[in-house]
Amino acid sequence: MNRTRLYETGGDKIFNIINHSILIISLLLVLYPIIFVLSASVSSPHAVMTGKVWLFPVDFSLDGYKAVFEEKDIWVGYGNSIYYTVFGTIISVIVTVMAAYPLSRKDFVGRNVIMFAFTFTMLFNGGMIPTFLVVRQLGLINTRWALLLPGAMAVWNVIITRTFFQNNIPDELLEASRIDGCKNISFILKIVLPLSGPVIAVISLFYAVNQWNEFFSALIYLQDSKLYPLQIILRRILIQNHDQGMIDSMEDQEMREFLNELLKYALIVVASIPVLVIYPFAQKYFVKGIMVGALKG
Amino acid sequence: MNRTESILKKQKTNEKKQLIQRITVNWELYLLIAIPVIYIIIFKYLPMYGTQIAFRKYSVTKGIFGSPWVGLEHFGNFIRSYNFSGLFLNTLILSLYQLIAGFPVPIILALSLNYCKNKIFKKTVQMATYAPYFISVVVISGLILQILALRTGIVNNILDFLGFGRVDFIGKPELFSSIYVWSGIWQNAGWGSIIYLAALAGVDPELHEAAIVDGANKFQRVRFIDIPCILPTTIILLILNFGRILHVGFQKVLLLQNSLNKSSSEIIQTYVYKIGLASAVPNYSYASAVGLFTAVISLIMILIVNKIAKHVSETSLW
């Protein structure tokens, strides 16, 4: 430590000050809105609306959360989102591994052609309308499948998984198990998958977060409100309500409106909880995933 | 002569046999990849094939492949339409603003993190700045509306308290692009820095040691060691970003759009969505033509920028 200090010049000292300022400012800028929303969500409606809350909670109350719990649509949406996330992730991970393993094998004839066909879809795609027409043609509109199938496989995740297989499953292992009379399928089930915990964790998390946050495909493919995922309900409450709030400015509605606004803060917190709870544990996996992709991509 | 020919022939048939054998030995692998391949064909290539409705006059009764051809009529109609220049300009302004303001931020953040000696502080900054990336676009948009709300938002409360008066941020067309871009930077800059951190981790420490011995300060080390080392990564990402220049994150635009800011928030994709899917009488052909128009421009952009990058810096996508 002291040795490096010795080499620091005047210029370095200025550099260090600027550097730490950048980091501290970034940290505060990112954290402030998050802390504000958390604080607002547990303050009293009146304190939030009159601008008394700016950092810490004022007049602690759980009215906002109470209002969220009373809203039935939110819980239907929450349940649907859990359903889509769990099943969507399972389907996605299986399909991705099915694509990635053969593509990782050097003795797999045709892998370059298939790989090209896959990666080309990252550069060019049919677009919103033709995709919609295909999904409609398949009869998936207004079914749960519409949220599970069209986005089931992300080519990016196939690349990450393939790279992991190439780097972590040595060819000798395949040779040895072949001599022992092991077939491809049992090699995958007994050797490859048990060795691939980290990459499966990475892609599961990527798929799960995407599925939880997905809103646009639900918007265009679903009409039945019983099938709506949480994000659609959120849009209705957080966003479409917005314009109304500006028109209704009558005094007697004030309290109701206050509670409505408070509900939004609580709802933002409730909707983000699953992701925010997993995030600290999952962060290093996400970073690993992007690193693998970066090296190859 | 005949001998060599027959030997060559034999070799060829042998090669063929070997190829067939290599395929049959791994038949299970083909079985495995069949499902992903079918998936890609149905959900990626079928829509690509379906883009031909952009060149047809779609009628419900005749379906995609039975509707009559109209050539480039829809494209011509779009380019000549009164809202073309507005849509194109709005799209371009949003994406160029995003590129110019947003591209350097992750680089600066990564360089700063790279020189941070305090491990715990570094980890804290990373943890915090990566987090917003995982918040859904609906929640982010809701958050923006809450914070900037005219009568109740925290920003306006502070402005009011300081005596500046309230500003209807989300209702002002001229502020829309800034709200869109800076909220995007807030959400994505931290996550975007990961890739540069990875590149910086690959810088040979001996370069820095040699520079220190030569008396270089940290500014000079950033300028003459770190930046040249991350340049290839930067160029690749820049090429990819140019490819997406007409692909503004349109979901957030759609969510933040209202009747007041529409003059600057209506972009090509929101327009495609409205005329193609949200309208009571959807015009699939016209909407597809508009969508295809942007996809083709994007593809051309990526090819041109890639070529230029290859020429200037010898770094390219392929």
Side-chain angles (χ1 to χ4, degrees):
Chain A
M1 197 64 198
N2 278 329
R3 267 189 67 209
T4 52
R5 276 284 146 80
L6 212 63
Y7 293 116
E8 291 198 342
T9 61
D12 285 350
K13 279 188 190 120
I14 299 169
F15 181 91
N16 287 342
I17 292 168
I18 295 174
N19 204 32
H20 278 95
S21 312
I22 292 174
L23 293 178
I24 290 168
I25 291 168
S26 319
L27 187 66
L28 294 179
L29 282 177
V30 168
L31 286 183
Y32 180 67
I34 297 172
I35 292 171
F36 170 72
V37 169
L38 281 174
S39 297
S41 74
V42 291
S43 297
S44 76
H46 192 262
V48 175
M49 290 310 113
T50 50
K52 281 183 191 135
V53 181
W54 64 275
L55 184 64
F56 295 114
V58 175
D59 302 339
F60 183 85
S61 92
L62 291 173
D63 289 353
Y65 290 92
K66 235 182 256 162
V68 169
F69 275 94
E70 279 162 13
E71 204 71 42
K72 229 186 109 199
D73 287 351
I74 294 174
W75 296 106
V76 174
Y78 221 91
N80 283 332
S81 276
I82 291 173
Y83 178 96
Y84 295 128
T85 303
V86 170
F87 288 100
T89 306
I90 293 172
I91 293 172
S92 294
V93 170
I94 292 173
V95 177
T96 304
V97 169
M98 286 170 95
Y101 181 70
L103 291 172
S104 76
R105 283 272 294 267
K106 287 187 200 75
D107 59 338
F108 180 68
V109 179
R111 71 171 188 155
N112 288 335
V113 178
I114 296 175
M115 201 61 217
F116 177 79
F118 279 26
T119 36
F120 182 71
T121 64
M122 291 169 83
L123 283 180
F124 186 80
N125 61 63
M128 193 193 295
I129 310 292
T131 309
F132 171 82
L133 292 177
V134 166
V135 172
R136 195 181 64 174
Q137 200 71 36
L138 292 168
L140 300 181
I141 297 293
N142 221 4
T143 68
R144 289 186 188 270
W145 293 111
L147 293 205
L148 299 176
L149 294 183
M153 191 179 84
V155 175
W156 183 246
N157 287 338
V158 174
I159 295 175
I160 291 175
T161 316
R162 182 182 88 128
T163 310
F164 180 91
F165 288 153
Q166 280 171 342
N167 296 339
N168 293 280
I169 314 289
D171 292 341
E172 292 81 10
L173 220 52
L174 180 66
E175 304 286 321
S177 61
R178 269 214 183 124
I179 293 165
D180 291 342
C182 187
K183 286 261 164 52
N184 275 320
I185 296 289
S186 49
F187 179 71
I188 293 169
L189 293 177
K190 287 184 189 148
I191 313 277
V192 176
L193 289 182
L195 285 174
S196 306
V199 79
I200 290 177
V202 170
I203 58 168
S204 303
L205 288 166
F206 274 130
Y207 281 126
V209 170
N210 271 341
Q211 192 66 252
W212 182 265
N213 287 342
E214 178 62 43
F215 119 92
F216 192 67
S217 42
L219 181 67
I220 60 178
Y221 297 140
L222 301 180
Q223 289 115 35
D224 185 352
S225 62
K226 280 199 270 337
L227 300 176
Y228 280 165
L230 184 61
Q231 301 298 329
I232 293 286
I233 313 289
L234 287 178
R235 172 174 179 254
R236 209 168 61 202
I237 296 174
L238 292 178
I239 294 172
Q240 292 179 324
N241 194 22
H242 183 69
D243 286 321
Q244 284 174 12
M246 284 172 64
I247 301 159
D248 303 340
S249 57
M250 297 170 70
E251 286 293 316
D252 52 324
Q253 284 190 331
E254 203 174 51
M255 199 53 216
R256 214 189 119 73
E257 199 196 320
F258 278 16
L259 194 63
N260 232 348
E261 290 298 304
L262 187 66
L263 178 143
K264 291 183 184 174
Y265 288 109
L267 187 55
I268 287 175
V269 176
V270 170
S272 309
I273 275 176
V275 176
L276 292 180
V277 166
I278 303 172
Y279 171 70
F281 305 102
Q283 188 221 2
K284 71 167 192 213
Y285 286 112
F286 282 124
V287 173
K288 242 184 222 164
I290 205 171
M291 297 283 200
V292 173
L295 294 177
K296 270 279 152 176
Chain B
M1 203 59 201
N2 264 340
R3 247 179 85 98
T4 40
E5 242 170 44
S6 70
I7 289 173
L8 272 177
K9 221 176 184 180
K10 223 178 193 176
Q11 224 167 6
K12 245 186 189 164
T13 48
N14 266 347
E15 265 170 27
K16 227 179 196 172
K17 257 187 200 157
Q18 268 178 0
L19 189 70
I20 290 167
Q21 205 200 340
R22 275 167 70 197
I23 293 173
T24 48
V25 157
N26 287 327
W27 63 272
E28 292 154 303
L29 298 183
Y30 292 91
L31 205 64
L32 269 184
I33 209 163
I35 289 176
V37 167
I38 291 169
Y39 165 82
I40 284 280
I41 291 172
I42 291 179
F43 290 107
K44 304 287 171 189
Y45 282 92
L46 217 55
M48 266 187 232
Y49 186 62
T51 51
Q52 55 178 275
I53 61 160
F55 305 96
R56 292 172 183 266
K57 193 174 166 59
Y58 183 78
S59 87
V60 187
T61 47
K62 287 174 188 149
I64 295 176
F65 306 115
S67 304
W69 292 96
V70 294
L72 295 172
E73 191 188 300
H74 300 300
F75 294 90
N77 286 345
F78 174 56
I79 290 167
R80 278 192 304 270
S81 73
Y82 71 96
N83 45 17
F84 171 75
S85 57
L87 288 172
F88 199 76
L89 214 65
N90 285 344
T91 312
L92 215 58
I93 287 171
L94 275 190
S95 59
L96 282 179
Y97 188 174
Q98 180 171 256
L99 193 64
I100 292 165
F103 197 76
V105 179
I107 302 177
I108 294 167
L109 190 60
L111 287 169
S112 286
L113 282 167
N114 196 42
Y115 278 94
C116 180
K117 284 272 157 11
N118 185 334
K119 281 256 162 61
I120 298 170
F121 181 56
K122 185 179 172 181
K123 279 265 167 332
T124 313
V125 175
Q126 284 178 295
M127 188 86 156
T129 51
Y130 297 170
Y133 179 80
F134 297 100
I135 302 173
S136 82
V137 62
V138 182
V139 170
I140 288 282
S141 305
L143 192 62
I144 294 167
L145 296 181
Q146 283 309 99
I147 285 176
L148 297 180
L150 180 61
R151 286 184 305 119
T152 55
I154 176 78
V155 174
N156 270 318
N157 284 342
I158 291 172
L159 285 179
D160 196 36
F161 178 76
L162 296 175
F164 289 110
R166 293 173 182 271
V167 179
D168 184 11
F169 288 99
I170 206 69
K172 283 208 173 11
E174 66 270 24
L175 293 178
F176 184 83
S177 56
S178 292
I179 293 168
Y180 173 83
V181 168
W182 290 100
S183 63
I185 293 174
W186 180 81
Q187 184 174 21
N188 297 318
W191 188 251
S193 73
I194 294 175
I195 202 156
Y196 295 106
L197 277 174
L200 285 169
V203 175
D204 188 349
E206 278 182 25
L207 285 175
H208 281 290
E209 281 159 25
I212 292 169
V213 172
D214 287 346
N217 67 26
K218 287 182 179 173
F219 286 106
Q220 290 159 329
R221 278 155 63 194
V222 168
R223 168 70 186 79
F224 294 106
I225 300 174
D226 293 329
I227 290 181
C229 283
I230 61 172
L231 204 59
T233 310
T234 311
I235 290 169
I236 298 261
L237 291 176
L238 206 56
I239 298 171
L240 289 172
N241 272 306
F242 267 103
R244 281 190 223 116
I245 204 133
L246 291 181
H247 284 264
V248 181
F250 95 103
Q251 299 191 3
K252 197 167 85 186
V253 178
L254 190 67
L255 289 165
L256 290 176
Q257 197 172 64
N258 61 35
S259 47
L260 297 172
N261 64 28
K262 211 167 172 182
S263 63
S264 66
S265 67
E266 189 78 301
I267 58 169
I268 296 176
Q269 283 103 318
T270 54
Y271 181 65
V272 170
Y273 166 69
K274 279 175 196 160
I275 55 172
L277 296 173
S279 149
V281 210
N283 190 342
Y284 294 133
S285 285
Y286 185 63
S288 301
V290 178
L292 188 60
F293 174 79
T294 57
V296 169
I297 288 187
S298 302
L299 196 61
I300 294 171
M301 279 294 273
I302 213 169
L303 294 175
I304 292 174
V305 177
N306 192 44
K307 195 108 193 185
I308 295 170
K310 207 175 200 169
H311 201 75
V312 177
S313 66
E314 291 170 359
T315 309
S316 68
L317 286 177
W318 52 81

